[in-house]
Amino acid sequence: MKKKARRRIALKVPFVTRLEGEGSLELNARGDRIDRLHLAIFEPPRLFEKFLEGRGYQEVPDLNARICGICPMAYQLTSIQAMERLFGIELPPSLVQLRLLMNLGEWVQSHALHIHFLAAPDFLGFDHALDMAKVFPEVLKRGMLLQEAGNALMALLGGRSVHPVGLQVGGFGRLPDHERWHEVRGLVKQALPAAEALVRWTAELTLPDYSHDFIWVSLTEPDGYAINGGCITSSHGLSLDYSDYPRHFAEHQEPHSTALYSLLDGQDYLVGPLARMNNSFERLPAEVRALARECGFAFPSRNMFTSIRARALEIYWALFEANRLLAQPCPNGEASLPVTPTAGECCFCTEAPRGMIYHYYRLDEQGRVLSCSIIPPTSQNQARIEQDLRASVTRFGLHHSDQELKLFCERLIRNYDPCISCSTHFLRFRLRRE
């Protein structure tokens, strides 16, 4: 009896669609075994860390905003708060709350974009959002309503929603206008029912279950859902200050990618909405937890396809918190505190929509950047995405057609909402002459 030949697969996906940036997937397998799987990021490094060298602390926030057009504020605030720690600046609660409003707006607009325009076609059986809109126009209308509220929150203090300019070391360039404060409050109140409907809509989706064990990492705070600072917390018991980051997290280069890979004590890990929800669900307000439980949500979850539910719940929480903050009178007084630069090293972490960001700076006496390091969420997730693909594709089955495998891989990658354009590092360069 002849032995059946083992099927060989060489799957190449030159462009993974419906992502921010450009990346590709290469998968080689024989029979039921994957020999090689690479998520290749081939966008050129954008060298932001080198651009910042020699720049004064006043310039850094606006330059950092250009790292990402979808979550510019997270990059700004991470650098600002690192430098404020070094300069000994402690903002009054009123200014801290105003920054929180901007954070919340960024989460709302980023998550709404991903869910409605990038992820929803996967779950409703369409190739892209334009086809989906012909059958489910209400889905995209809800997404645009939520994005409008998120953009308005960012522009309230940032002057504009894309690359806002209102943030600075020591506070803000100006305080919000009273009339606009009440306008934005109205937009947020109008968006809250849409956010609740979104949570219920994701509860009705049929989600694949490819649960498996992995490590997740997010910031946590004892009395709330962390977004603009906190303790670095992992699912396997680590609890770290920002200064401990380099002792546990390390980046390395892989030949197939222009973005560096990040590992936690030598292991891949997850950052992002599902990681945050897994660590901090019980720290959400009682009203938000009640809605989640009514919809049957259970966290922690080890199924990456439940990320869409985590994002929807974060939108609802963000608007719930924004509505509470906007119910207070529009703030008056000083928009910023005086700043005296100090030489030294500083670091900080915040939660961007896609996950934890780490910034490190070394400054001279005038507050000029001597060196820095910026670790975005997508580079932290890259190793985790590849390991998830290996485990989930094997369970999905390599007997499927190339087209079926391609679609499955793309859907799984989109769970992470990778922002491939946020690559900030130099490549290692080695030249050998003979």
Side-chain angles (χ1 to χ4, degrees):
M1 184 176 178
K2 284 188 177 181
K3 192 174 182 180
K4 188 176 180 180
R6 301 175 74 191
R7 181 188 177 219
R8 292 187 178 185
I9 298 173
L11 179 65
K12 291 187 178 181
V13 184
F15 295 97
V16 181
T17 58
R18 282 187 270 133
L19 303 177
E20 167 57 35
E22 296 182 357
S24 67
L25 176 68
E26 184 175 341
L27 187 156
N28 290 353
R30 182 178 300 180
D32 57 359
R33 190 188 73 208
I34 296 174
D35 293 328
R36 183 174 66 176
L37 189 151
H38 289 160
L39 176 62
I41 293 177
F42 48 79
E43 289 195 350
R46 295 160 66 214
L47 315 179
F48 270 89
E49 292 157 325
K50 281 297 176 183
F51 290 157
L52 293 174
E53 288 183 9
R55 302 283 188 168
Y57 71 90
Q58 308 96 323
E59 300 175 274
V60 170
D62 285 343
L63 288 170
N64 276 340
R66 269 66 182 176
I67 292 174
C68 182
I70 297 175
C71 48
M73 241 204 53
Y75 287 97
Q76 288 181 307
L77 272 179
T78 312
S79 61
I80 285 171
Q81 290 181 106
M83 294 177 187
E84 287 175 346
R85 287 183 94 198
L86 177 62
F87 299 164
I89 297 172
E90 187 170 346
L91 295 187
S94 59
L95 295 185
V96 173
Q97 295 300 298
L98 290 179
R99 284 184 175 175
L100 175 58
L101 271 177
M102 294 184 73
N103 282 105
L104 297 171
E106 187 164 82
W107 275 23
V108 170
Q109 64 87 18
S110 178
H111 286 350
L113 169 66
H114 173 77
I115 291 174
H116 294 90
F117 293 86
L118 306 181
D122 285 335
F123 295 99
L124 298 181
F126 295 91
D127 290 334
H128 51 75
L130 292 179
D131 276 353
M132 184 182 72
K134 298 172 186 175
V135 183
F136 298 103
E138 72 283 356
V139 173
L140 293 188
K141 287 179 182 177
R142 181 182 60 212
M144 288 186 284
L145 173 65
L146 292 170
Q147 276 196 276
E148 181 184 10
N151 288 336
L153 282 168
M154 293 177 68
L156 179 64
L157 287 133
R160 59 195 187 201
S161 59
V162 179
H163 303 149
V165 294
L167 289 163
Q168 61 185 41
V169 176
F172 294 90
R174 62 166 178 80
L175 291 181
D177 174 81
H178 286 247
E179 183 177 344
R180 184 60 181 157
W181 179 271
H182 293 292
E183 288 177 9
V184 174
R185 182 185 179 190
L187 288 172
V188 168
K189 290 187 76 170
Q190 182 183 0
L192 262 171
E196 179 180 344
L198 171 62
V199 173
R200 297 185 185 279
W201 178 80
T202 62
E204 296 171 358
L205 295 174
T206 301
L207 305 183
D209 189 353
Y210 287 86
S211 300
H212 60 283
D213 278 333
F214 55 86
I215 297 168
W216 57 79
V217 176
S218 75
L219 299 176
T220 62
E221 290 182 340
D223 301 320
Y225 198 78
I227 179 169
N228 199 17
C231 180
I232 302 171
T233 304
S234 77
S235 55
H236 63 316
L238 279 180
S239 182
L240 308 173
D241 182 74
Y242 314 125
S243 59
D244 296 322
Y245 188 98
R247 289 197 287 274
H248 293 272
F249 296 83
E251 291 187 295
H252 68 278
Q253 186 73 56
E254 293 286 349
H256 61 270
S257 178
T258 60
L260 297 182
Y261 281 57
S262 181
L263 298 177
L264 168 58
D265 294 329
Q267 295 180 282
D268 60 87
Y269 61 98
L270 171 74
V271 297
L274 185 59
R276 292 190 291 256
M277 201 60 66
N278 282 352
N279 273 338
S280 299
F281 175 79
E282 293 300 331
R283 296 180 175 93
L284 289 167
E287 296 89 339
V288 180
R289 283 183 279 123
L291 174 62
R293 288 175 174 139
E294 183 184 339
C295 292
F297 293 179
F299 298 101
S301 169
R302 290 172 172 78
N303 179 15
M304 275 305 300
F305 283 94
T306 59
S307 293
I308 191 170
R309 292 174 176 166
R311 282 187 182 87
L313 201 57
E314 284 193 338
I315 289 176
Y316 182 71
W317 168 75
L319 290 170
F320 182 91
E321 283 295 293
N323 186 55
R324 179 182 65 81
L325 294 171
L326 289 166
Q328 302 171 19
C330 181
N332 295 303
E334 296 296 325
S336 63
L337 301 181
V339 177
T340 303
T342 305
E345 297 178 294
C346 54
C347 57
F348 205 81
C349 291
T350 70
E351 288 283 352
R354 291 167 172 84
M356 186 177 71
I357 292 178
Y358 169 80
H359 282 217
Y360 160 86
Y361 296 91
R362 186 165 62 91
L363 306 179
D364 66 12
E365 293 82 359
Q366 285 75 45
R368 291 189 297 256
V369 176
L370 299 174
S371 62
C372 65
S373 180
I374 299 171
I375 317 296
T378 294
S379 67
Q380 297 184 70
N381 273 338
Q382 191 170 351
R384 172 88 291 270
I385 294 172
E386 288 191 349
Q387 291 305 314
D388 192 349
L389 283 164
R390 283 183 175 275
S392 299
V393 168
T394 301
R395 286 174 59 187
F396 177 68
L398 291 163
H399 61 277
H400 287 87
S401 70
D402 287 3
Q403 180 64 13
E404 289 170 324
L405 285 169
K406 172 183 179 294
L407 292 175
F408 178 81
C409 291
E410 286 192 327
R411 288 186 68 185
L412 193 146
I413 293 168
R414 280 192 286 267
N415 283 326
Y416 292 82
D417 189 18
C419 186
I420 293 170
S421 296
C422 291
S423 174
T424 57
H425 290 294
F426 270 118
L427 281 171
R428 292 189 179 92
F429 180 77
R430 183 177 298 171
L431 175 65
R432 175 180 294 178
R433 299 183 186 274
E434 296 187 8

